[in-house]
Amino acid sequence: MDTARAVEAVFRIESARIIAGVTRIVRDVGIAEEIAQDALVTALEQWPESGVPDRPGAWLMATAKHRAIDLVRRKETYARKLAEVGRTLEDEPPPAEPAEPDDIDDDLLRLIFTACHPVLATESRIALTLRLIGGLTTQEIARAFLASESTVAQRIVRAKRTLAKAAVPFEVPYGADRGARLSSVLEVIYLVFNEGYSATSGDDLVRPALCEDALRLARVLASLMPEEGEVHGLSALLEFQASRIATRTGPDGEPVLLADQNRARWNRLLIARGARAMSRAGSGPYSLQAAIAGCHAAAVRYEDTDWARIATLYGRLVQLTPSPVVELNRAVAVSMADGPAAALPLVDALAREPALNSYHLLPSVRGDLLERLGRPDEARAEFERAASLTRNEQERTLLLRRAAAL
Amino acid sequence: MPRFLTMIRINEQDLPPNEFPPEFEQRMGALLEEITKAGVMLDTAGLLPTSEATRLSWSGGKISYTDGPFTETKEVVGGYSLSQCKDKAEAIEWTRRFLEIHPAEWNVSAEVREIQEM
């Protein structure tokens, strides 16, 4: 093991916590990230000479915090000089004591809530969270989201600037605001996972690395907020979904439908972890989705799937978060529990939803129902329409194949 | 992100005393909590001694059974952890931290093996 790699490993493990600890002092995630990077550079210069210290994480944290406190003091001196000419600057004095581990946890949680602040556009929240908490490089984020590196870099810079300009407080909100802010955090993790789980564009159907990044974020959040049922619900949902990743694509990267997946290859450890998280879940939308995913995970064979229970859970989810996409999923579950004839009216009602106008899964589901009802000509037209709407190459191929088979 | 199986090897003829120093338990608890909080730990456990174990081998088209303890082996697996890390360097760093909280007079070794993903 060469020292540089050891130093980088230590830094990767600690960087989110260091950035969080420094942000509490300097109140600016952009400056905090620079200071954390400076501490890494110092370590890379010193440790090969002096050896890796006994508690490398604490060393990096202390180094970064010293710089942060210096910076704040300089700013205060400057502010005092400004104040002498009649201006003031409100600044808390920096904490003198090194933080207790619990404080570090609190700081990390504050950092997560700051990076996911609703003042930022969704894509900025995602990029900033992956960068600051997930420890991904700009290049890795760009590759994951098929964006150019400069676009992502711009996005991160702008996000930091927005947070500074809006003077977003470095805190985990309590009271009325808490639910909404937590939703924003959960949504970011969910969206990262989803982009990895069913890529919205490009050639690959799945990008497992993104799923793993999201899972790691969910696991971190669940250990920082053990009292929040919805956090465990999201964690359970992602563990269950991730257990199937290896079986969702075939040898050529083509999608494999749930009915055809080799369940022997589902990851039992992740299913067990999902079940454990499920036992602490609440009754919110992520917990309901986790319960649905858990039903699939519990079915040893596709025929064993408890579709009636899944349809019921989707019914509850529709009440909680009314959405045509959820309603479409409910229709699929109803078609499995009570037959395609029972589900077709539900899908037809959705065809009038403007939100689903170009959603390829609507004609895809409708095609499937029509095929099962023995109406091949109409089914073929639906599959072809779905193929023209999807942005994923692998899905298009599958849909056209289904159309051609009729 | 690759997964790693870390096997903790101990010498059953040279076991640490039954009475663990109290601060060791505390340090171990704190470290395990830290690894879990980092979203890294998937599963970990200690194993019963090999006196409770049975080895099965398949050779020459026949199964044979050997009950423990396996005194001919110097080191046996006494525990394991399954973790998911960004790379091997990260897995090694966590393992180093795990070993370093043990009392200085104990002999423990750890083998970090990357899991072959299918």
Side-chain angles (χ1 to χ4, degrees), chain A residues 81-134:
Chain A
K81 293 209 158 76
L82 277 183
E84 285 160 16
V85 291
R87 292 177 44 193
T88 57
L89 187 138
E90 283 174 50
D91 222 333
E92 286 175 47
E97 291 297 305
E100 289 296 305
D102 278 351
D103 280 356
I104 298 179
D105 284 352
D106 292 345
D107 286 343
L108 183 58
L109 202 52
R110 290 186 190 114
L111 183 66
I112 295 172
F113 271 75
T114 304
C116 297
H117 198 283
V119 73
L120 302 171
T122 305
E123 54 189 18
S124 306
R125 279 187 251 159
I126 288 173
L128 199 58
T129 304
L130 285 174
R131 170 72 174 264
L132 296 181
I133 296 109

Side-chain angles (χ1 to χ4, degrees), chain A residues 297-310:
Chain A
V300 178
R301 299 170 313 159
Y302 182 70
E303 310 63 272
D304 302 334
T305 311
D306 188 348
W307 288 106
R309 178 166 160 70
I310 292 175

Side-chain angles (χ1 to χ4, degrees), chain A residues 236-237 240-241 244 266 288-298 310 313:
Chain A
L237 172 65
F240 283 138
Q241 301 283 60
R244 304 203 291 265
W266 285 1
L288 279 172
Q289 289 180 74
I292 292 164
C295 282
H296 289 300
I310 292 175
L313 288 166

Side-chain angles (χ1 to χ4, degrees), chain A residues 150-365:
Chain A
S150 60
T151 304
V152 173
Q154 274 285 326
R155 207 173 278 168
I156 290 171
V157 168
R158 268 203 310 270
K160 289 173 185 167
R161 209 178 295 144
T162 305
L163 287 173
K165 231 184 0 223
V168 166
F170 189 61
E171 62 178 17
V172 176
Y174 286 89
D177 207 11
R178 189 179 168 94
R181 292 285 306 280
L182 179 59
S183 292
S184 177
V185 174
L186 296 173
E187 183 190 38
V188 166
I189 299 176
Y190 179 77
L191 289 172
V192 171
F193 184 90
N194 243 357
E195 185 55 33
Y197 195 68
S198 45
T200 46
S201 57
D203 299 338
D204 296 330
L205 191 70
V206 290
R207 300 193 203 110
L210 264 184
C211 295
E212 287 161 359
D213 288 320
L215 257 173
R216 188 153 156 163
L217 290 170
R219 288 167 184 158
V220 169
L221 192 65
S223 60
L224 292 174
M225 303 185 98
E227 72 296 343
E228 291 286 351
E230 262 312 79
V231 176
H232 293 294
L234 176 71
S235 190
L237 172 65
L238 303 193
E239 301 274 7
F240 283 138
Q241 301 283 60
S243 73
R244 304 203 291 265
I245 283 178
T247 63
R248 291 181 72 246
T249 49
D252 301 321
E254 72 280 13
V256 179
L257 298 172
L258 187 63
D260 304 324
Q261 287 171 17
N262 176 357
R263 295 178 179 232
R265 287 184 60 221
W266 285 1
N267 186 316
R268 305 311 308 177
L269 174 68
L270 293 181
I271 291 174
R273 290 180 57 88
R276 236 195 339 260
M278 197 68 233
S279 68
R280 306 173 72 182
S283 52
Y286 291 110
S287 300
L288 279 172
Q289 289 180 74
I292 292 164
C295 282
H296 289 300
V300 178
R301 299 170 313 159
Y302 182 70
E303 310 63 272
D304 302 334
T305 311
D306 188 348
W307 288 106
R309 178 166 160 70
I310 292 175
T312 306
L313 288 166
Y314 270 123
R316 264 190 245 161
L317 190 59
V318 167
Q319 283 170 353
L320 215 54
T321 53
S323 121
V325 173
V326 176
E327 183 60 29
L328 183 64
N329 282 319
R330 188 173 80 89
V332 172
V334 167
S335 86
M336 298 307 295
D338 308 325
L344 193 59
L346 301 176
V347 175
D348 287 343
L350 284 173
R352 291 187 288 277
E353 279 282 348
L356 294 188
N357 236 339
S358 54
Y359 187 60
H360 69 280
L361 287 178
L362 179 65
S364 164
V365 168

